Amino acid sequence: MACFPLLVWTLILGFRGSRCGPCRPVCTGSSCVVVHESRVDFSTAEQRCRRDDGELLTSQSPEEERLLRASAAGLRGEFWIGLRLPERVCSNMSDPLRGYQWLQARGSAIPTAATWRDGAEVCSPRCVAVSRPQVFSERLCSDLSDGFLCRTRRRDACAAQPLSEPRVFQSKKGCSDAPCQQICNPASGGYSCSCEKGFAPDSGDPRRCRVHCDQEKCPPVCRGQDSCDCADGYIMNDDFCEDIDECAMDQCPQLCRNTFGSFLCSCQDGFILKGAACVRAEETRPEPSDESVKSPSLSAVGFIWIWLLLAAAVILLICVGRCYIVRRQKRREINLQQVTATAAAADSVVR
């Protein structure tokens, strides 16, 4: 349901490429805004936009205002935009933007449809997050918002790299001892690491960065005239790193789909990918698991308990029966003694 308002605005304004998910683009003409659902602080959001050749969204022109209105219609939470209070400055309640400044100054600076959530004067460091329906919130720049809005000309920005919540390393020193290979971002209780353009966090160690390319051809990352590197799955060709087509090298047993820097293998109908081969589906019957082997013993234990309960019930019945018989026998003896005593008394009277 959260995507329904966005879909309505997309149809009205003629946008293309909108979709639900942690990353969704909204484009018109050559301009796009990308909605990233990723909990980050303001500085990290700004760096991620720049990594994708973009910038945090501003609202200084009719086109940008339409983009902001369309993207804000489907938001769930508060998302960073490119509006920040200058250093050592407090907000001005009489100003339409309350003294905040756009990160990139151009055109008109006052959005016509935006409203402010709070009405108290605040001081830096403060940044602005937008929520549905286009409500501005003043938040500490170090807060983790629900996401951020990037303006970019890249329609494939969402396919570039999956965005996830940055890992926060607990440390009392924070960024003071330079724990990250490239960029260190202060966070509550510690720090998180990010990478410069052309790099991505190493999946094995998020503190380090590896060369990254998210399209068919990228410039190499050079540290000198004779030291240039390409991302994994790319090869140097005429001063550019080009994606290697692994499918042309028969890397898959049946079907293959090439991706940027890698490839995906699949099988035809009736076959299942098992290891590096495609086998028929009927040949992949599951072997008995430990649970199936243990099930008879579990049933035996259940039967043992049933027999124990039955035996206990029989013993209880026997005990109750014996008690009943003993009590009945005692009553007969008492009655017999009473009859004998009565007869004896009667006999003595007769004499």
Side-chain angles (χ1 to χ4, degrees):
M1 294 298 295
C3 289
F4 179 75
L6 179 60
L7 178 61
V8 172
W9 277 109
T10 300
L11 293 175
I12 294 175
L13 300 176
F15 293 111
R16 300 184 299 277
S18 302
R19 61 182 178 85
C20 294
C23 178
R24 60 179 184 272
V26 180
C27 300
T28 173
S30 61
S31 299
C32 298
V33 57
V34 180
V35 181
H36 293 288
E37 294 184 7
S38 182
R39 291 182 58 80
V40 296
D41 57 24
F42 186 87
S43 177
T44 302
E46 186 178 8
Q47 291 169 8
R48 287 189 177 180
C49 289
R50 290 177 179 175
R51 183 190 64 191
D52 292 335
D53 298 328
E55 58 190 29
L56 282 173
L57 178 63
T58 63
S59 179
Q60 304 175 76
S61 67
E63 181 185 31
E64 286 184 334
E65 190 166 350
R66 287 197 300 270
L67 284 170
L68 177 60
R69 190 185 308 119
S71 56
L75 298 182
R76 290 175 294 180
E78 296 183 340
F79 288 64
W80 294 123
I81 58 174
L83 196 58
R84 180 172 54 191
L85 196 63
E87 294 184 3
R88 298 182 296 275
V89 172
C90 293
S91 61
N92 180 4
M93 303 300 293
S94 61
D95 183 72
L97 283 182
R98 298 192 176 184
Y100 285 80
Q101 295 181 0
W102 299 110
L103 296 181
Q104 300 82 25
R106 56 176 179 269
S108 173
I110 303 174
T112 58
T115 57
W116 292 87
R117 183 183 301 278
D118 303 315
E121 181 181 282
V122 296
C123 298
S124 60
R126 298 277 176 162
C127 299
V128 173
V130 66
S131 60
R132 186 179 59 180
Q134 204 170 341
V135 176
F136 285 2
S137 298
E138 301 167 277
R139 299 184 55 170
L140 291 172
C141 298
S142 58
D143 287 349
L144 297 181
S145 69
D146 298 294
F148 53 100
L149 306 180
C150 289
R151 179 174 179 174
T152 178
R153 293 183 179 274
R154 293 181 50 182
R155 294 176 177 271
D156 64 340
C158 286
Q161 181 181 357
L163 296 177
S164 58
E165 184 174 344
R167 178 180 176 183
V168 176
F169 297 94
Q170 299 299 319
S171 172
K172 295 181 180 179
K173 296 182 179 180
C175 293
S176 60
D177 55 353
C180 303
Q181 184 180 14
Q182 292 187 358
I183 301 173
C184 184
N185 309 299
S188 178
Y191 64 92
S192 64
C193 298
S194 57
C195 301
E196 298 172 353
K197 181 182 178 181
F199 292 85
D202 192 318
S203 57
D205 184 1
R207 297 180 182 89
R208 302 189 61 81
C209 298
R210 58 178 176 82
V211 181
H212 175 72
C213 181
D214 52 25
Q215 47 193 333
E216 185 177 359
K217 183 184 294 187
C218 289
V221 177
C222 299
R223 299 176 180 83
Q225 292 182 352
D226 301 325
S227 179
C228 294
D229 298 322
C230 291
D232 294 339
Y234 289 78
I235 188 171
M236 186 79 73
N237 186 11
D238 294 335
D239 297 331
F240 275 91
C241 295
E242 290 188 358
D243 174 51
I244 299 173
D245 187 359
E246 292 85 357
C247 295
M249 305 167 62
D250 297 329
Q251 295 292 324
C252 295
Q254 289 186 1
L255 305 178
C256 180
R257 181 168 68 88
N258 187 56
T259 61
F260 295 149
S262 186
F263 63 99
L264 297 173
C265 294
S266 59
C267 300
Q268 299 172 355
D269 292 340
F271 291 84
I272 295 177
L273 186 64
K274 190 173 184 180
C278 289
V279 299
R280 291 190 178 276
E282 57 267 20
E283 296 178 4
T284 59
R285 295 176 181 175
E287 298 179 357
S289 61
D290 293 339
E291 293 183 358
S292 62
V293 173
K294 294 179 181 179
S295 58
S297 61
L298 293 175
S299 300
V301 172
F303 279 117
I304 290 174
W305 276 105
I306 292 174
W307 280 111
L308 289 175
L309 291 174
L310 289 175
V314 171
I315 294 173
L316 180 61
L317 289 174
I318 293 174
C319 292
V320 172
R322 287 194 61 183
C323 291
Y324 176 76
I325 294 172
V326 169
R327 291 182 63 184
R328 186 174 180 182
Q329 186 66 29
K330 286 184 178 181
R331 287 178 182 175
R332 286 183 178 180
E333 291 177 357
I334 292 172
N335 292 337
L336 182 60
Q337 290 175 0
Q338 290 178 350
V339 170
T340 303
T342 302
D347 184 59
S348 62
V349 171
V350 172
R351 292 178 181 179

